[in-house]
């Protein structure tokens, strides 16, 4: 996750990709020609309004339908509503939000001059800091806090140094993963690959980011990925629709926050492993960035478990599914490009010569961002603009954007609900200005003064390497987001 540049106000003309391509983000205030409109919607009666919205969100409608119905009702992509979690056992959590569901209004969430990000990673609800050793990790820090620059700088440094081994470890883990899948498909006719994929992700990330080999600890090698799964789940379950039998999901998953002691043993083993095996990176955190040992370890574990492992565990199965389930001839095009472009060796530079491969990665992120919800709190009073109206936002109000719906903005993307593999090729590269999966636009740059994902470019290049790897190894792949049913090895 699990995790993620400032973009200024945009001017976009409806229903024309050409007009989108010719427009650029601007730092100017909203056009005075936009009418100032009262934000539609309401929060309902105390307790009853949040409960009603919670049941719609999790049970009766689901997140996307929840937001779509309110867009239709209010004739606006900006409106007031409640988002879970809410009553009864979330003391101090205010579910009231101003929802922003088009690219132009959504962009305000990343302008750090007008919004702040203190403890709003998952809205007004914040998992207990006991999950991270009583340390508020970087994801919960606002850019105005001095600690943010230290920790973000440390994260950027980790990624820079990991580049020396990232690709080598990735390719080695992919060889192991797909060797396992090959064998199981050959023996059983299909292979469920989620657990092998998570083991692959965990192993290469631990080696690349922490400089530690999980094999040094038999327990971590065997179960480290599962420890992270449990740690992530207990923090996020109150905010996620699982799809189990209702009302059981509402009663047991969405009604209260889970205590950290349920995974404290797992977390302690991961902590001890990083402390013992990651001495070099820990030393840099302390000597070069002024972090204490505790701050360094807990932020490392958050980057590893929440941002990197959590994010890849959601994104990569979606990417594999988009390719393996395709019946339009996309695989033929990917195979040709992966084998003809980029030279004999796969590197980050070589996949930059594969525009279709990269576009498929971007299009998957557009429709299925690993983190669906983004939040920010108004740092001051300001005027927020959508495509057709402007709205007064008061200091302290919480803004919420549901990214899968924002990324279907018809004013920006043609055929927005369709998966178009080549959407971001050629002139379509201009649309990367409006691809916001990483807590900012794809064309933005993560810095110590913004909240954009430090690994934004590393993620997309890693996914591109995966796609190119598959089509240098296989002629075709058939499967879903959970299993592979057929593989044809390259001659």
């Amino acid at each position: 996750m699990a995790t993620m540049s400032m973009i200024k106000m945009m001017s976009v003309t409806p229903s024309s990709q050409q007009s989108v391509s010719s427009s650029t983000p601007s730092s100017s205030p909203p056009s005075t020609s936009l009418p100032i409109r009262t934000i539609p919607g309401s929060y309902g009666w105390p307790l009853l309004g949040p409960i009603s919205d919670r049941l719609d969100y999790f049970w009766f409608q689901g997140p996307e339908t929840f937001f779509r119905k309110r867009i239709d009702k209010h004739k606006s992509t900006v409106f007031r509503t409640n988002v879970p979690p809410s009553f009864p056992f979330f003391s101090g959590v205010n579910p009231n939000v101003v929802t922003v569901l088009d690219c132009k209004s959504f962009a305000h969430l990343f302008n750090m001059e007008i919004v702040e990000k203190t403890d709003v990673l998952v809205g007004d609800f914040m998992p207990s800091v006991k999950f991270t050793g009583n340390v508020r990790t970087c994801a919960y820090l606002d850019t105005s806090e001095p600690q943010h620059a230290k920790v973000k700088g440390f994260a950027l440094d980790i990624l820079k140094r990991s580049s020396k081994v990232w690709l080598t470890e990735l390719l080695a883990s992919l060889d192991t993963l797909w060797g396992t899948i090959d064998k199981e498909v050959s023996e059983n006719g299909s292979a469920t690959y989620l657990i092998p994929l998570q083991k692959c992700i965990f192993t290469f990330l631990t080696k690349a980011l922490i400089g530690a080999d999980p094999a040094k600890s038999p327990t971590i090698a065997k179960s480290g990925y599962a420890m992270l799964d449990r740690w992530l789940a207990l923090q996020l379950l109150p905010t996620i629709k699982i799809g189990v039998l209702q009302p059981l999901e509402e009663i047991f998953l969405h009604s209260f926050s889970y205590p950290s002691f349920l995974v404290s043993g797992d977390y302690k083993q991961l902590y001890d492993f990083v402390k013992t095996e990651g001495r070099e990176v820990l030393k840099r955190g302390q000597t070069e960035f002024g972090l204490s040992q505790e701050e360094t370890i807990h932020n490392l574990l958050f980057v590893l478990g929440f941002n990197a492992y959590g994010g890849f565990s959601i994104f990569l199965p979606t990417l594999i599914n988009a390719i393996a389930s395709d019946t339009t001839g996309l695989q033929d095009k990917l195979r040709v490009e992966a084998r003809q472009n980029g030279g004999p060796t796969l590197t980050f530079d070589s996949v930059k010569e594969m525009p279709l491969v990269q576009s498929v990665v971007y299009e998957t992120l557009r429709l299925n961002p690993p983190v669906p919800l983004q939040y920010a709190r108004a740092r001051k009073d300001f005027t927020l603009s959508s495509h057709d109206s402007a709205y007064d936002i008061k200091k302290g109000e919480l803004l919420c954007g549901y990214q899968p719906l924002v990324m279907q903005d018809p004013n920006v993307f043609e055929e927005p609900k369709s998966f178009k593999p080549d959407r971001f090729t050629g002139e379509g590269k201009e649309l990367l200005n409006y691809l916001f999966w990483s807590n900012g636009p794809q064309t933005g740059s993560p810095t110590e003064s913004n909240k954009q994902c430090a690994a934004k470019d590393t993620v997309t290049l890693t996914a591109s390497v995966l796609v190119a790897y598959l089509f240098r190894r296989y002629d075709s792949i058939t499967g879903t987001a959970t299993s592979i049913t057929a593989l044809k090895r390259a001659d």
Side-chain angles (χ1 to χ4, degrees), residues 84-341:
S86 60
F87 181 83
F89 300 121
F90 293 94
S91 61
V93 176
N94 184 352
N96 301 165
V97 298
V98 176
T99 309
V100 288
L101 295 176
D102 62 85
C103 282
K104 191 172 183 180
S105 62
F106 187 68
H108 294 73
L109 297 181
F110 315 112
N111 183 340
M112 301 310 298
E113 295 178 3
I114 60 174
V115 301
E116 53 104 356
K117 299 273 191 172
T118 306
D119 299 337
V120 295
L121 182 65
V122 283
D124 201 53
F125 166 72
M126 180 180 174
S128 171
V129 292
K130 292 181 180 179
F131 280 102
T132 50
N134 290 312
V135 170
R136 285 176 65 237
T137 55
C138 189
Y140 295 106
L141 300 176
D142 181 56
T143 53
S144 64
E145 299 179 65
Q147 191 74 355
H148 179 272
K150 291 183 182 180
V151 182
K152 184 70 174 287
F154 178 49
L156 291 166
D157 179 71
I158 292 170
L159 283 164
K160 179 180 179 180
R161 293 175 184 267
S162 72
S163 63
K164 299 175 183 177
V165 298
W166 187 282
L167 192 68
T168 302
E169 297 297 347
L170 171 62
L171 293 173
S173 292
L174 288 177
D175 284 341
T176 301
L177 169 65
W178 289 97
T180 300
I181 294 173
D182 277 342
K183 185 174 185 294
E184 189 170 345
V185 171
S186 176
E187 293 176 352
N188 302 320
S190 66
T192 301
Y193 67 84
L194 287 184
I195 290 178
L197 176 62
Q198 287 195 314
K199 290 181 177 179
C200 162
I201 294 168
F202 177 77
T203 298
F204 104 78
L205 286 175
T206 302
K207 290 180 176 180
L209 294 174
I210 300 177
D213 186 352
K216 294 290 184 64
S217 167
T219 301
I220 297 299
K222 179 181 178 181
S223 304
Y225 78 97
M227 293 176 182
L228 288 181
D229 283 338
R230 292 189 288 266
W231 176 75
L232 284 165
L234 290 195
Q235 293 178 77
L236 298 177
L237 277 175
T239 69
I240 297 174
K241 176 180 172 63
I242 303 298
V244 301
L245 291 175
Q246 293 284 18
L248 297 180
E249 182 173 334
E250 288 313 296
I251 295 171
F252 294 108
L253 300 185
H254 300 148
S255 293
F256 48 84
S257 56
Y258 286 81
S260 63
F261 73 79
L262 294 173
V263 291
S264 59
D266 288 344
Y267 191 77
K268 181 65 165 54
Q269 291 188 71
L270 291 165
Y271 175 97
D272 289 342
F273 173 76
V274 172
K275 183 177 180 180
T276 301
E277 302 297 336
R279 293 188 185 92
E280 182 181 341
V281 70
L282 295 183
K283 183 178 179 180
R284 291 204 312 272
Q286 294 171 262
T287 60
E288 298 182 28
F289 295 92
L291 302 173
S292 69
Q293 179 174 271
E294 290 292 297
E295 291 167 337
T296 306
I297 295 176
H298 293 302
N299 274 286
L300 265 175
L301 281 172
F302 197 91
V303 169
L304 171 67
F306 204 106
N307 299 132
Y309 172 82
F312 275 127
S313 292
I314 295 170
F315 171 47
L316 293 185
T318 306
L319 177 62
I320 292 171
N321 177 59
I323 294 168
S325 62
D326 183 82
T327 59
T328 67
L330 171 62
Q331 292 195 27
D332 295 334
K333 297 175 183 177
L334 290 172
R335 183 176 65 249
V336 170
E337 183 175 85
R339 296 179 187 179
Q340 292 185 354
N341 295 15

